[in-house]
Amino acid sequence: MIVQGLIFYMLAAIMVASAFMVVTSRNPVHSVLWLILAFVNSAGLFLLLGAEFVAMLVVVVYVGAVAVLFLFVVMMLDINYLKVREGFLTYLPMGAALGVVLLCEIAVLAGGWTMAPEAMGLRAVPAPEPGTISNSQALGQVIYTDYVYLFQAAGLVLLVAMIGSIMLTHRSHPNVRRQKVADQIARRKERTLKLNKVPTGKGIS
Amino acid sequence: MMYAAIVFLPLLGALIAGFGRHALGDKGSQWVTCTGLGIAALLSWYGFFEVAVVGNPTTVTLFTWVASGDLQFDWALKIDTLTAVMLIVVTTISFMVHIYSVGYMHHDPSVPRFMAYLSLFTFTMLMLVTADNLVQMFFGWEGVGLASYLLIGFWHEKPSANAAAIKAFVVNRVGDFGFSLGIFGVFVVFGTVGLDTIFAAAPQYADYMVTFFGVEWHAMTILCVLLFIGAMGKSAQLGLHTWLPDAMEGPTPVSALIHAATMVTAGVFMVARLSPLFVLSDTAMAIVTIVGASTAFFAATIGCVQNDIKRVIAYSTCSQLGYMFFALGVGAFGTGVFHLMTHAFFKALLFLGAGSVIHAMSDEQDMRRMGGIWKMVPWTYGFMWIGSWALMGLPPFSGYFSKDMILEVAFAADTGVGHYAFWLGIAAAAMTAFYSTRLILMTFHGKPRANEHVMGHVHESPWIMLAPLVVLALGAMIAGGVGAELFIGEGREHFWGEAVKDMAVTEHAHHVPGWVKLLPLVVTAAGIFLGWVFYSAKPKWPVRLAEAQPGIYTFLLNKWYFDELYDRIFIKPAFALGRAFWRGGDGALIDGIGPDGVASLTRSIAARFGRMQSGFLYHYAFAMIIGVAGIVTWFMVTSAGH
Amino acid sequence: MMSQSLVMGPALPEILLAVLALAMLMLGVFRKGDTTALVGWIAVAGFAVAGVMTLMGSGHDTELAFGGQFINDGFARFTKVLVLLGTIMTTIMALSWMKREGEGRFEFPVLIILATVGMMMMISANSLMSLYMGLELQSLALYVIAAFQRDNLRSTEAGLKYFVLGSLASGLLLYGMSLVYGFAGTVSFDGLAEIANAGEVSTGVLVGIIFMVAGMAFKVSAVPFHMWTPDVYEGAPTPVTAFFATAPKIAALALFCRVMMGPFEAYAPQWQQVIVLISILSMVLGAFAAINQTNIKRMMAYSSIGHVGYALIGIAVGTTAGIQGVLIYLAIYLFMNVGAFTIILAMRQKGRAVENINDLAGLSKTNPLMAAAMTIFMFSMAGVPPLAGFYGKFFIFMSAMDAGLITLGVIGVLSSVVSAFYYIRLIKVMYFDDVVEPLDRLSGATQKAMLAISFVVILLFFLVPAPVVDGALAAAESLTGGTSALASSH
């Protein structure tokens, strides 16, 4: 248990520190790199909980896809970083004070934390016993049964995101000529090419 | 059914005239509304005999209105003597004013609209007086306010009319605020808004205390004071009276109907209607008396120096309403309502007479540019005298019976506030006589002060305008004599039945010393004499007096500086505040709406809210976080105490 | 377990709409030409069918679906019908607007359908997770709709602001939920209610509730989480603003009611003060800040903040009467807003849309009927009897008085007096100011019909209030179980 605890605090500390660096580092590319570090640490936390499947998902989706996408966007958009940070100092005292207040309150909360006695019994699906059933199998058993409602709703949310991004960015340009692969493949010599025998000296009329 | 017809015929007329105005035209709309009112008036008289004389009060339930949980009330008409009296007053005077308007407004381009508004007003007023629960009464209450707003601003081309309409609406909202709080309070205490249930339960709550803002209060006092604030707004009592003189910007028939005979008496009616509550609180009754008496005196002083003929009568209305209130305040509810009735007749007569004068003088309202026309308008002249006599309270005109009775009950009450009211009332009576005489003399006698063009056009009004005056003049002459026995005499207990809680003071009033009965007549005679000296025998005197006492004169001429006072107290500081907080803020009131102090104060607050809305995303996000942190902190701090 | 979680009968209207959204998406993509009108009208028909299905659905019973994550009770049915009514009316408005402006895009009705599904899911949520999914589905669709005019800077700015702040609010909500879950170990409303009724309290769960309140307060635009409202209302295309002002607001307030009165009812004495505070702030800010506005959409934004403040009184009261008041208020609020926005949409000068209050100057002379209708709507919003708006306030204030929240009621009445000021100013502009440039005449039968419906409802509500009042009572009883949680805690 001690080892687990130590690892937990290490991962958590690195995660908080890198999250802090995300907002404070001067170079946006560095920010994204710090973000990746935070993601990796959260994957580690999931591993610690015995949720291997989610841990792998975090690595694949967040680190592999989302963060890399961020990196592309940050590199492609030329953001004037100094301008973004304008007013940082003006708001710093106020923001810091607010942060401290919230932190104190959360500390008070954590200090006096109690759980309802029924809480443990009410937990819907505890993590499966390692060895009896694999993580993905356990998920598969509930996602399409107990949680089909939420699963489908999540699908709709993603659909909305897709429709939204297409609707807001996609523009059809009627004058731009596009490569139509099917047309190119379907092209036959006979339809486009005509061989004419030109008699010498007569020209084409 | 008959009572429903009384209430809804005017509405029907208003709807037909209002929506069918293109189809009906001027003539059609006049016929429709006048017929509706005429029938309603006849039925009211019949109902009056049925209810008041035969003694057969009733409640007609039209339909169940709201029935949800604790809150249950019907849409019902409560017809008792008090309502019956109000019904005949409202329908009769409204009918006369409708007919009069046919003649008075015949030049106006939007006659159907005017007739529709008049009928609409009558409907809402009838709703108010027939209400059997407080919410229904509040409906009527707001309805008359709305109709009054529409009618004051009827000539909306005139900016002054607009300003006056909005001023009336806003000042009335202040009063309504008190009234609605009062209704809520009644509901909290009694758990119902039905009048009968409240009255039945009232005595049990006589000593009920409520805790509010951590202090114990006598529930009935709080309720009655709140309700009385509503009455003050509607009945233009001291402090909330500023809208009434300005309301004279409306057409004269409107002034006669709404701002003299009916709507402004709604406050008096309400206090009388809720008399079972008011009698439970001595404090509230004392406040009613003091406010009423002060208004009676204060408005009379201003009436003495005004030059606009309609404003003189408007201040006189204010003053007479004060009389009614202090009559109610000392517990003589029947007497107050009696004066309400007689006053309705002679004040409507005076207003319509004044309208006739204005009509004759080519829309001139300033008495300093009138004079010397009495031979040219003999009928109007006669009616104005009758109205004035009734107002002054000369026997045997109506006012004599009701006004003297009021002074007697005030004296008979034999309390500090009673005597206060009595002496101020006597002083006001003298001034009433003075300004009434002054009005007649300045308007009709002396040398003509109008230009020749106007004088050449002076003409008696057509019969359609004089006929209503005849009826009202009859009322002003005999209503008091006939009604005295019923309203305040021996028959009063049978007459009122359960309608109002008249107190013993009325009985005592019949046994006051002789000099109390004589004094009003003496001071009235003195007032008339003084008026005659000033404005007929020695016309130089008033000018010299005004020059000798410029302070008092300008003080009165400027209406005790009430408008200026409000300007100072509310508007100027608000401006200063607004500028200090928000440089470049436009100090102008909302499009010059007028001396409404709250308005500019709200605007300066509004400006500060506007500044918070910077448009920057991070400001907004920051505000949200601050909000959460603030609420959580506040919550933790307060819940730590639990 | 398995069979129970696959019960989906009660959710048929939602399923129908979700499937309809997919079908319409296909139709829009594969059919040549502009399909906005077609998709739009089919969507309207779909809403109507869903509404009828909701109404017909098995009387007054409370039904659970999907293993208890979805609940369909009287309360849900009442508010869903309101939401669908609002969606139908605003979609019709939007369709005629898009036709006129030539800005038709078939994605718009599809997104409206999906947003509506989200709203219905919110209303029927019976666990924290289904609450969150419904809320996100609805919000995400709304963000996109707000930025729908993508070439208009103000519209995109509105969408972006709404999105960023909305995400922040979602974060607050989620944080609150995690605290609640951490305390109770369950996300199901029934489980939470059980724990709450057992008398277990800890500061943690209460702070969690406050965070959740903050998140939901953002959705209903209550102070101090209202800052997005004026900018989004002003920036978004007018029919979108009309939509925002009606359906999502009703759904979010319904959700608010359900969360506070369902799982957390037993904590009412604790959260009541927070709701009271938010309610007071909203009423006061809504009343004062609207006064200085020159843009009518901005004014309506502040007006809606104020209205939310009044509705929150009913939640703060926390009794059946209070919830009933909220529902009545919402029903009336829906029609007032549809009416007012129909007129705002009709504000055009020479074919160009205008949105300044002064553009209404002298409307009574150029278009008396329109001016009369607007007057009725404004008076109703100000709460002048006997118009419908008066009833909304009346029931709310009555419930507050009844529950002993006298100070709250008094502040409510006071701020409604202040807010009467700017409504009346609008009327003054229409009736007493001189015409600068006349507005175009109303065009289109749908617009006229919409105006006529809301006009009649607002004007004649007082004759037959029973269907709404009784319906709201039944709905409120189904939520609170007919008991008063807070007889009088003061």
Side-chain angles (χ1 to χ4, degrees), chain C residues 48-287:
Chain C
V49 172
V52 172
M53 282 165 74
T54 311
L55 271 181
M56 307 297 280
S58 71
H60 301 285
D61 301 342
T62 298
E63 307 163 306
L64 297 176
F66 296 116
Q69 296 183 357
F70 183 96
I71 186 171
N72 200 19
D73 54 1
F75 177 79
R77 277 189 277 272
F78 187 90
T79 40
K80 275 183 199 173
V81 168
L82 285 187
V83 163
L84 286 169
L85 266 180
T87 314
I88 289 175
M89 291 196 273
T90 44
T91 312
I92 293 176
M93 272 190 214
L95 287 176
S96 67
W97 177 82
M98 288 196 280
K99 194 169 142 201
R100 210 169 39 203
E101 300 279 319
E103 297 234 19
R105 305 205 52 170
F106 75 89
E107 291 98 334
F108 182 82
V110 173
L111 284 171
I112 295 252
I113 303 177
L114 287 168
T116 310
V117 174
M119 289 176 221
M120 293 166 80
M121 286 170 62
M122 276 158 68
I123 292 171
S124 278
N126 201 30
S127 82
L128 294 179
M129 298 239 279
S130 44
L131 180 167
Y132 185 70
M133 293 317 293
L135 195 72
E136 280 307 290
L137 179 57
Q138 177 246 23
S139 310
L140 204 58
L142 293 189
Y143 304 146
V144 179
I145 294 175
F148 153 73
Q149 272 184 317
R150 61 182 184 191
D151 297 322
N152 179 333
L153 197 63
R154 288 199 312 170
S155 172
T156 44
E157 187 186 324
L160 188 67
K161 269 184 190 165
Y162 194 16
F163 173 62
V164 174
L165 295 174
S167 312
L168 182 60
S170 283
L172 295 177
L173 187 71
L174 271 183
Y175 189 67
M177 286 182 187
S178 72
L179 287 177
V180 171
Y181 176 73
F183 169 74
T186 178
V187 288
S188 130
F189 283 180
D190 304 329
L192 288 171
E194 218 170 276
I195 289 180
N197 286 332
E200 302 295 334
V201 194
S202 101
T203 324
V205 73
L206 296 178
V207 171
I209 292 173
I210 293 175
F211 271 90
M212 286 186 64
V213 166
M216 288 186 292
F218 173 86
K219 297 293 171 196
V220 299
S221 66
V223 180
F225 311 101
H226 67 286
M227 306 288 257
W228 58 278
T229 323
D231 290 10
V232 171
Y233 272 43
E234 190 189 356
T238 311
V240 173
T241 311
F243 180 61
F244 279 12
T246 51
K249 200 141 278 185
I250 295 171
L253 271 166
L255 176 77
F256 218 137
C257 290
R258 182 176 299 284
V259 172
M260 301 327 275
M261 298 308 298
F264 302 139
E265 192 188 3
Y267 298 130
Q270 279 85 23
W271 54 251
Q272 188 185 43
Q273 47 174 335
V274 176
I275 306 283
V276 167
L277 177 77
I278 293 178
S279 160
I280 290 177
L281 289 176
S282 306
M283 289 187 294
V284 171
L285 186 122

Side-chain angles (χ1 to χ4, degrees), chain B residues 9-15 17 26-41 89-106 111-126 151 252-254 256-258 262 348 352 464-465 467-469 472:
Chain B
L9 274 175
L11 176 67
L12 195 68
L15 291 176
D26 290 4
K27 275 269 174 296
S29 63
Q30 285 161 350
W31 272 108
V32 167
T33 50
C34 289
T35 316
L37 248 296
I39 298 173
V89 169
V90 173
T91 52
T92 310
I93 300 209
S94 177
F95 182 45
M96 293 306 137
V97 168
H98 271 75
I99 294 178
Y100 181 89
S101 306
V102 172
Y104 190 85
M105 299 296 284
H106 73 108
V111 172
R113 186 157 65 94
F114 184 75
M115 300 308 280
Y117 285 173
L118 273 188
S119 281
L120 178 71
F121 164 78
T122 313
F123 163 69
T124 51
M125 188 70 202
L126 292 172
L151 282 166
T252 307
V254 171
L257 177 60
I258 299 185
T262 56
L352 294 185
I464 189 103
M465 286 166 68
L469 291 180
L472 292 173

Side-chain angles (χ1 to χ4, degrees), chain A residues 91 94-95 98 101-102 105 108-109, chain B residues 618-619 622 625-626 629 632-633 636:
Chain A
Y91 294 102
M94 185 75 182
L98 203 61
V101 169
L102 274 178
E105 281 163 4
V108 170
L109 273 191
Chain B
Y618 50 93
H619 283 176
F622 213 52
I625 301 287
I626 291 176
V632 171
T633 312
M636 285 181 118

